[in-house]
Amino acid sequence: MKTAVVYFSLGGATRSFARAEANARGADLLEAVPEKKYNPFSALVRGCPAAMRQKSVPLSQAPDLTGYERIVLMAPVWGGFPAPPFNSIAGLLPRGAEVEALLVSASGSSEKSRAKVRALLEAQGCRVVAQRDIRSHR
């Protein structure tokens, strides 16, 4: 099964987890890069409110997901929801793909957004096969 691990990372933690996930699966590693870069301040002031409203952002580097049967989406959690580039990637998903959502946070929980994330992915015509939280700090 052709698999891609697609990620957005602000500070590098999600990138590290995405690399490990891609290596473990023998999957392609694809990065989504927003047109307007985030820094810690803009992630808090601009990114968290957008994440909580499940807004997407334009991507300057959008991965081509054609031909992938399974897609693993990875992003940090901001304000309890995936960062806005996650929503942008969701908009690129091919219908019928199997999708896993792996969300990285210091708390290790995206519980309050779980149902909304599933609904977003299913609205794209995808089958959600897993949702998992990854704790970035111990």
Side-chain angles (χ1 to χ4, degrees), residues 54-138:
Q54 287 191 289
K55 298 291 184 184
S56 59
V57 294
L59 299 174
S60 65
Q61 185 177 320
D64 179 6
L65 302 176
T66 306
Y68 289 102
E69 299 156 300
R70 177 165 290 189
I71 299 164
V72 180
L73 300 181
M74 298 184 70
V77 174
W78 295 351
F81 287 80
F86 176 95
N87 303 318
S88 304
I89 300 164
L92 302 173
L93 293 170
R95 293 188 72 73
E98 292 184 355
V99 177
E100 296 180 41
L102 307 184
L103 301 177
V104 179
S105 71
S107 70
S109 176
S110 64
E111 187 60 40
K112 72 179 178 180
S113 66
R114 189 173 303 272
K116 288 185 176 187
V117 167
R118 178 175 285 279
L120 173 70
L121 299 174
E122 289 175 345
Q124 294 299 121
C126 298
R127 187 165 72 91
V128 179
V129 296
Q131 285 181 268
R132 184 166 43 108
D133 294 317
I134 299 171
R135 188 172 185 156
S136 61
H137 296 72
R138 299 205 186 264

Side-chain angles (χ1 to χ4, degrees), residues 19-52:
R19 280 187 186 135
E21 195 71 32
N23 287 339
R25 296 169 182 256
D28 294 336
L29 182 64
L30 307 172
E31 182 177 14
V33 178
E35 281 182 6
K36 283 181 137 181
K37 303 278 191 234
Y38 289 100
N39 59 48
F41 180 74
S42 64
L44 178 65
V45 173
R46 181 170 42 100
C48 282
M52 293 176 359

